[in-house]
Amino acid sequence: MCGREGWLVLVVGILVAGFAGGPKVKELGSAEKGDPVSGREIYVNVCSRCHGVDGKGVRGIRLVSPPADLTSADVQGRLDGALFKRIHEGKPNTPMGAWQHALSDEEIWDVVAYLRTLGAESDANP
Ligand code: HEC
């Protein structure tokens, strides 16, 4: 029994070490999978009415909670998967809705890829 547990701990240890220490393992779905050009098209059509074409939020818009600044370090600091999930499932009790029925997974990845370009631009000219 004891020996068997030791073996298990070893295997788990190797797995953890592999993920933590090894070359950065690519997320299964990541923004690099998406196409920022088609993402931009989708973004302008469905997201820009709240978030603005530049991602900073439509000025003067009155929502219960103001749209997040998509160029901010706060949003750009999230993992691709977290942004995907937020767009896919929305943010409960805010005007940020779930897009899983309107957009395919592929389209959401395209949008995530486009969101990354907004971050890159704001870094270049803050
Ligand atoms: C009806 C207006 C509206 C539309 C349309 C909309 N959003 Fe949002 N979005 C919001 C608001 C409001 C928030 C801020 C929610 C909060 O944190 O209170 C938000 C937050 C976000 C966030 C940050 C969420 C977080 O975890 O803080 C992301 C990323 C985002 N939106 C992406 C998108 C994308 C991509 C689209 C298009 C597919 C989109 N939004 C469409 C209103 C909108």
Side-chain angles (χ1 to χ4, degrees):
M1 192 60 191
C2 214
R4 194 174 183 165
E5 273 168 22
W7 185 80
L8 200 77
V9 167
L10 186 70
V11 170
V12 170
I14 289 171
L15 282 176
V16 169
F19 277 107
K24 200 162 174 349
V25 183
K26 258 208 118 13
E27 279 178 272
L28 210 58
S30 82
E32 274 158 53
K33 219 175 85 164
D35 171 10
V37 176
S38 94
R40 179 174 200 281
E41 198 129 312
I42 298 162
Y43 179 88
V44 168
N45 282 325
V46 299
C47 318
S48 67
R49 68 187 160 95
C50 292
H51 288 284
V53 177
D54 62 2
K56 292 181 193 285
V58 172
R59 273 162 276 277
I61 195 169
R62 287 182 183 272
L63 291 173
V64 183
S65 53
D69 178 353
L70 303 181
T71 68
S72 65
D74 177 39
V75 169
Q76 291 294 329
R78 313 250 175 102
L79 293 173
D80 292 343
L83 292 177
F84 177 91
K85 191 163 181 274
R86 180 60 81 216
I87 300 163
H88 192 260
E89 281 151 41
K91 187 161 175 177
N93 307 315
T94 77
M96 179 59 200
W99 291 93
Q100 56 185 315
H101 303 297
L103 301 174
S104 69
D105 286 6
E106 200 182 320
E107 286 170 327
I108 295 177
W109 281 121
D110 290 350
V111 172
V112 172
Y114 176 65
L115 294 185
R116 289 304 184 201
T117 70
L118 294 175
E121 272 164 30
S122 78
D123 282 351
N125 15 251

